[in-house]
Amino acid sequence: MRKLSDDERSRLSSRTRLVLGGRNPDEQFGFVNTPIYRGSTVLSPDAASLRRSDARFTYGTHGTPTTEALENAWSELSGAAGTALVPSGLAAITLALMSCVKAGDHILVTDSAYRPTRRFCDTVLARMGVETTYYDPYLGAGIASLIRPNTSAVLTEAPGSQSFEVQDIPAIAAAAHAAGALVLMDNTWATPLFFPPHERGVDLAIEAGTKYLGGHSDLLLGLVSANERALPGLRRTAEAFAMCAGPEDCFLALRGLRTMELRLREAERQGLALARWLEARPEVKSVLHPALESHPDHAIWKRDFLGASGLFSIVLNPVPEAAVDAFLDALALFGLGYSWGGYESLVIPFNCAAYRSATTWSPGGPALRFQVGLEDINDLTADLERGFDRLRDVAGSSGAAG
Ligand SMILES: *Cc1c(COP(=O)(O)O)cnc(C)c1O
């Protein structure tokens, strides 16, 4: 086999990168996949090498061939200078934040952020003397007015967790960079396949590998990819916290990586089909899916994103909570559970009203978040039909009683 030149490799499409990334069969006796290296100790051939400590692998927490394979594949896919691997998506968020703040700093966090991100800012960061201001996800370039001399980081997430606002990341990045602040983005929904973060101005991109990279609801993993500017701080912080990911988890992530494009494209297709079906239902007030023309942020999604994954929300016309619960309990194919990105469909009720502070969440009815899996779409809509039958039964009888 001929080896690709660096130049040829840099011009490959992301789909091909998923196949080649992180693989080096020459180093693995010709076997296609990098195996699971379990290990703490790495032996040095002699005293001089031990003292120099400049070998490719020196200790398990600093990396193994398995973790290196995943880091390299992810950096190549993301267009990043480097990647840090951590045990969960939330750990990726906390590591990325810790890598760019110090006591006395101020950070800006979108009001639409994943809720545990807020908890970390309001507890740990507050205790360390870092002040957080939550901002309206729709601020765009207007974020400049919230930036202070000590603002060191702006955290974005698009689309917003559960609520699906699409932020103008390039505009926010331009304003943050003009003031010297770093831009963080939770890019779990789109993955680097559907939103190339560093090309769009993001310095530190966060991905819960738990979702589409793992793809089978059997893995917890987080990844932070960084550009040249943010990488030294990320590496120092990961080392200081001794953050590392387990070799089996990295192996499973590498396995998931090979099919991630196929699964995401299918999630996009199925998700849109389900979203359109739901949009036509009389029980549904609105569907929050950025790839639908009806979504308020459709234009910005189309400008910046290369696709949509299979997670979206809906708002029901007002019904009592008992009717929503009857709907959920009647479903046989949609599991009631957190997380997403696996092969199976899920649904959860949610309400952002209790914790928003810069904006108000009042969508006009009960809200549900759907994760579409790989089941046949007709089976899924038949399942939802049965749910809506129950919803109407319960809503009707409670209406009569009230
Ligand atoms: C699930 C999720 C996370 C956290 O991932 P875990 O691996 O479950 O910790 C972070 N951000 C977003 C947007 C998520 O949906």
Side-chain angles (χ1 to χ4, degrees):
M1 265 179 96
R2 185 175 68 85
K3 278 233 178 315
L4 287 166
S5 69
D6 287 349
D7 183 52
E8 281 176 303
R9 204 169 164 116
S10 70
R11 281 183 281 111
L12 295 173
S13 81
S14 54
R15 192 165 166 155
T16 309
R17 285 182 194 173
L18 289 183
V19 170
L20 295 183
R23 283 176 44 212
N24 202 342
D26 289 352
E27 293 181 348
Q28 315 298 345
F29 306 99
F31 282 93
V32 168
N33 293 302
T34 306
I36 297 170
Y37 281 81
R38 297 192 59 90
S40 49
T41 302
V42 181
L43 298 174
S44 291
D46 51 45
S49 331
L50 184 70
R51 286 184 192 281
R52 276 199 313 274
S53 195
D54 60 355
R56 181 164 156 207
F57 300 106
T58 53
Y59 190 64
T61 55
H62 302 153
T64 68
T66 317
T67 60
E68 185 191 74
L70 180 57
E71 285 182 11
N72 289 346
W74 196 256
S75 296
E76 194 176 356
L77 179 68
S78 306
T83 295
L85 305 175
V86 296
S88 73
L90 183 54
I93 296 166
T94 63
L95 174 68
L97 282 167
M98 288 305 287
S99 76
C100 50
V101 294
K102 62 180 187 309
D105 278 357
H106 167 251
I107 62 169
L108 290 164
V109 173
T110 178
D111 211 26
S112 56
Y114 179 61
R115 190 177 183 178
T117 301
R118 302 177 76 105
R119 186 183 57 210
F120 182 75
C121 295
D122 296 344
T123 57
V124 178
L125 289 188
R127 208 166 70 226
M128 303 292 158
V130 176
E131 185 188 349
T132 302
T133 300
Y134 295 97
Y135 66 90
D136 183 332
Y138 287 132
L139 267 187
I143 198 151
S145 66
L146 295 180
I147 297 179
R148 305 177 190 169
N150 62 338
T151 304
S152 54
V154 178
L155 189 142
T156 63
E157 182 172 337
S161 259
Q162 303 184 321
S163 47
F164 290 88
E165 298 93 338
V166 185
Q167 295 194 266
D168 187 341
I169 304 290
I172 291 172
H177 290 156
L182 287 170
V183 177
L184 286 66
M185 179 188 185
D186 187 332
N187 193 31
T188 300
W189 182 81
T191 83
L193 282 173
F194 286 170
F195 187 90
H198 304 296
E199 260 176 50
R200 304 274 191 270
V202 174
D203 299 295
L204 289 155
I206 294 148
E207 181 76 23
T210 307
K211 311 290 168 55
Y212 284 111
L213 177 56
H216 294 74
S217 304
D218 55 4
L219 172 66
L220 291 161
L221 190 74
L223 307 94
V224 186
S225 67
N227 59 15
E228 293 287 357
R229 180 180 169 205
L231 186 62
L234 177 68
R235 287 253 185 270
R236 274 196 306 275
T237 312
E239 172 124 358
F241 279 98
M243 281 283 208
C244 54
E248 274 92 356
D249 293 340
C250 293
F251 182 85
L252 283 174
L254 281 163
R255 173 184 264 243
L257 185 83
R258 309 303 175 200
T259 58
M260 192 164 78
E261 218 250 3
L262 288 174
R263 289 182 288 102
L264 266 176
R265 285 288 168 208
E266 188 59 12
E268 174 176 55
R269 206 177 63 80
Q270 295 256 98
L272 265 170
L274 195 68
R276 293 213 161 94
W277 184 86
L278 283 161
E279 203 171 30
R281 292 291 309 190
E283 300 86 351
V284 175
K285 182 180 164 67
S286 56
V287 177
L288 311 179
H289 188 312
L292 287 184
E293 297 72 17
S294 60
H295 192 276
D297 311 332
H298 182 65
I300 203 162
W301 171 81
K302 223 170 147 169
R303 186 194 70 186
D304 291 347
F305 287 70
L306 308 172
S309 66
L311 187 81
F312 63 94
S313 293
I314 66 169
V315 179
L316 295 167
N317 285 315
V319 283
E321 189 170 281
V324 179
D325 287 359
F327 168 85
L328 296 172
D329 287 338
L331 302 176
L333 296 180
F334 287 84
L336 308 183
Y338 292 97
S339 204
W340 44 279
Y343 55 84
E344 82 291 12
S345 292
L346 298 170
V347 61
I348 51 162
F350 71 91
N351 184 354
C352 310
Y355 54 90
R356 291 257 172 151
S357 55
T359 55
T360 308
W361 172 255
S362 61
L368 302 172
R369 189 189 72 183
F370 286 93
Q371 127 81 14
V372 68
L374 300 176
E375 304 89 343
D376 187 288
I377 195 75
N378 295 317
D379 291 334
L380 291 178
T381 52
D383 201 36
L384 294 176
E385 294 255 20
R386 280 186 292 273
F388 282 127
D389 289 346
R390 285 294 298 139
L391 178 139
R392 282 192 313 276
D393 285 350
V394 174
S397 63
S398 76

